[in-house]
Amino acid sequence: MPFDQWLEERLDKTKQAGLYRQMRTMQEAPQSSMLVEEKRQLIFSSNDYLGLAGHSRLIDAAAEVLREFGAGSSGSRLLTGNTVWHEKLEDRLAAFKQTEAALLFSSGYLANIGVLSSLPEKEDVLLSDRLNHASIIDGCRLSKADTVIYNHVDMDDLREKLEQTVSYNRRFIVTDGVFSMDGTIAPLDQMMELAARYEAFVIVDDAHATGVLGESGRGTSEYFGITPDVTIGTLSKAAGTEGGFAAGSKTLIDFLLNHSRPFIFQTAVPPASCAASVAALQIMEKQKERREQLMTYVTRVKRSLTNLGFQLTGDETPIIPVLIGDVEQAGRFTKKLEEQGIYAPAIRPPTVPAGESRIRLTVTAAHDSGDVDKLITAFHEIGEELNLI
Ligand SMILES: *Cc1c(COP(=O)(O)O)cnc(C)c1O
């Protein structure tokens, strides 16, 4: 069979299953409302929780360093790619996360791959939440250790699995801090207790918690008052820039620098991007009101949609999944939202389990209260129209 025909047939199956994906084209910088393929849409699906991606201080910081240091980094961190800006960012990240040290990766995806593929050894086991992010799942696959899955945030199941895995050398519990598709906060206080009792290590991916949870936005560690062995994070969500990181002890960072392949073999992110991230962290730490604004929207949207009769999942986080169930119904919902000028794509399998298709709303500090009104009105109308409420 010719190459393209073979691929066409496989794509047809994807289409028949209602799972065909396509990209949309944004014609503006990230903000609460954007021009999407010539039509203005209120954006309720961005991860730019604090509204920093288009912030002038980040842009100015990046522009200045772009002129001074150039467009690219010219090599991996261990060759010619390491600049004062990479180091400055890592110092700031460590201070922000209140750890001894931090190590920058090109993305959060690669930070997970880099940590999970290098830390556990062959005789070890990874205990992974069923709904962990794809990059954790891929990291587990690349690890030499075995992986055991426990039910989503189910601490009884985790305890059982810890008991069943005593024969392994070392055990690592790995979890999203805030689950990206469900908005659940992992019960890290309980998890740390279990880890202490069963002598396991804890790895937390704080992608969606960084900048959002805790008094100063430091993430789940601050929210729960805990110190995991490894914290992973990304700058691509609330910080509004790009790059991933691992934070922990100096020894951990030294180990990753020596053993983590995505760190060693990848070209460093451009210094200008580091400068934007440094500016983002400064704003995050100082401007508590952005987080407060964000959380008032979270509370309001969750309460209003629940009162309307929608089924929501998750805890008090800016990720607000509205369960629709059927793949096609979710597609219809999204389409109708878009007709009303609201951009909130449906999340479908395999990103979420079959039968659990949802509209994954996110609110940001950049929205205003009129935007939130429009969202709630649209959900009311479309929910009734599709007999969902
Ligand atoms: C987005 C996300 C990542 C990936 O981060 P990038 O910087 O976008 O690669 C990793 N883990 C979780 C939980 C995420 O939501």
Side-chain angles (χ1 to χ4, degrees):
M1 187 186 290
F3 183 71
D4 277 346
Q5 190 188 333
W6 166 56
L7 296 181
E8 293 282 357
E9 282 181 13
R10 290 170 68 185
L11 272 173
D12 281 344
K13 287 200 189 111
T14 310
K15 285 177 190 166
Q16 277 159 22
L19 303 177
Y20 188 61
R21 297 166 192 263
Q22 275 171 305
M23 290 194 278
R24 304 296 303 274
T25 312
M26 308 291 138
Q27 295 165 292
E28 284 179 333
Q31 52 200 323
S32 57
S33 115
M34 285 161 81
L35 207 54
V36 185
E37 292 160 8
E38 308 304 332
K39 192 169 176 231
R40 185 143 295 281
Q41 299 278 355
L42 274 174
I43 306 294
F44 279 102
S45 53
S46 154
N47 294 323
D48 182 23
Y49 300 123
L50 299 177
L52 295 181
H55 194 290
S56 61
R57 270 182 47 201
L58 274 67
I59 296 168
D60 291 347
E64 202 174 301
V65 174
L66 185 67
R67 295 207 177 279
E68 202 180 333
F69 281 78
S73 70
S74 82
S76 85
R77 294 286 299 285
L78 293 162
L79 294 172
T80 55
N82 186 39
T83 70
V84 288
W85 282 101
H86 294 87
E87 292 177 1
K88 193 181 274 199
L89 174 55
E90 285 172 341
D91 287 348
R92 265 223 100 93
L93 279 168
F96 185 64
K97 287 290 182 186
Q98 297 180 319
T99 55
E100 280 178 12
L103 191 70
L104 187 67
F105 289 78
S106 300
S107 70
Y109 199 115
L110 286 163
N112 271 326
I113 302 265
V115 167
L116 296 170
S117 66
S118 65
L119 270 192
E121 297 182 283
K122 201 164 178 294
E123 308 297 323
D124 301 340
V125 66
L126 283 153
L127 297 143
S128 174
D129 188 291
R130 186 176 298 285
L131 297 187
N132 272 343
H133 188 263
S135 56
I136 293 182
I137 296 171
D138 290 357
C140 291
R141 285 178 182 153
L142 280 171
S143 162
K144 289 178 204 74
D146 286 345
T147 302
V148 170
I149 309 288
Y150 63 88
N151 291 333
H152 182 49
V153 299
D154 182 341
M155 294 300 100
D156 292 332
D157 193 36
L158 176 59
R159 185 186 305 112
E160 254 173 53
K161 302 263 148 85
L162 281 163
E163 274 165 12
Q164 288 162 6
T165 52
V166 283
S167 59
Y168 283 93
N169 252 348
R170 275 171 224 88
R171 287 167 297 169
F172 295 81
I173 302 168
V174 56
T175 182
D176 281 20
V178 169
F179 285 82
S180 55
M181 292 302 140
D182 293 72
T184 332
I185 301 173
L188 283 166
D189 45 351
Q190 297 172 53
M191 214 176 270
M192 292 301 293
E193 276 175 32
L194 282 176
R197 180 152 14 122
Y198 291 92
E199 293 179 19
F201 300 118
V202 176
I203 304 173
V204 179
D205 175 359
D206 243 7
H208 291 280
T210 303
V212 173
L213 289 190
E215 180 68 14
S216 311
R218 298 182 203 285
T220 50
S221 58
E222 188 180 26
Y223 184 84
F224 286 109
I226 52 145
T227 311
D229 298 285
V230 186
T231 300
I232 290 163
T234 180
L235 294 154
S236 68
K237 308 267 156 76
T241 59
E242 60 159 25
F245 61 88
S249 68
K250 280 196 173 120
T251 312
L252 168 75
I253 299 312
D254 194 24
F255 177 86
L256 292 173
L257 186 148
N258 279 281
H259 290 277
S260 179
R261 292 164 68 86
F263 178 82
I264 299 166
F265 294 104
Q266 199 174 33
T267 300
V269 297
S273 161
C274 298
S277 297
V278 169
L281 288 172
Q282 282 166 345
I283 296 175
M284 247 184 213
E285 279 173 310
K286 286 209 190 98
Q287 299 187 3
K288 209 173 142 191
E289 59 277 11
R290 281 179 187 267
R291 221 167 0 263
E292 287 165 357
Q293 178 69 81
L294 174 66
M295 295 321 278
T296 61
Y297 292 150
V298 169
T299 309
R300 177 148 161 242
V301 171
K302 291 198 87 147
R303 194 185 304 137
S304 304
L305 296 186
T306 305
N307 287 346
L308 282 173
F310 284 102
Q311 199 189 334
L312 272 53
T313 69
D315 297 307
E316 290 291 299
T317 78
I319 300 169
I320 307 175
V322 185
L323 279 178
I324 306 290
D326 178 58
V327 167
E328 281 171 21
Q329 194 78 322
R332 248 173 255 133
F333 204 107
T334 282
K335 200 151 167 274
K336 286 185 183 291
L337 279 173
E338 196 171 331
E339 283 161 14
Q340 297 206 20
I342 291 173
Y343 189 78
I347 309 287
R348 305 171 297 186
T351 312
V352 292
E356 292 184 25
S357 290
R358 63 197 65 181
I359 310 293
R360 176 184 175 273
L361 293 175
T362 56
V363 288
T364 75
H367 286 116
D368 65 30
S369 100
D371 298 338
V372 175
D373 291 339
K374 280 185 201 143
L375 175 77
I376 293 163
T377 308
F379 263 78
H380 191 176
E381 284 173 25
I382 299 167
E384 283 182 346
E385 204 180 324
L386 295 180
N387 288 321
L388 286 164
I389 53 171

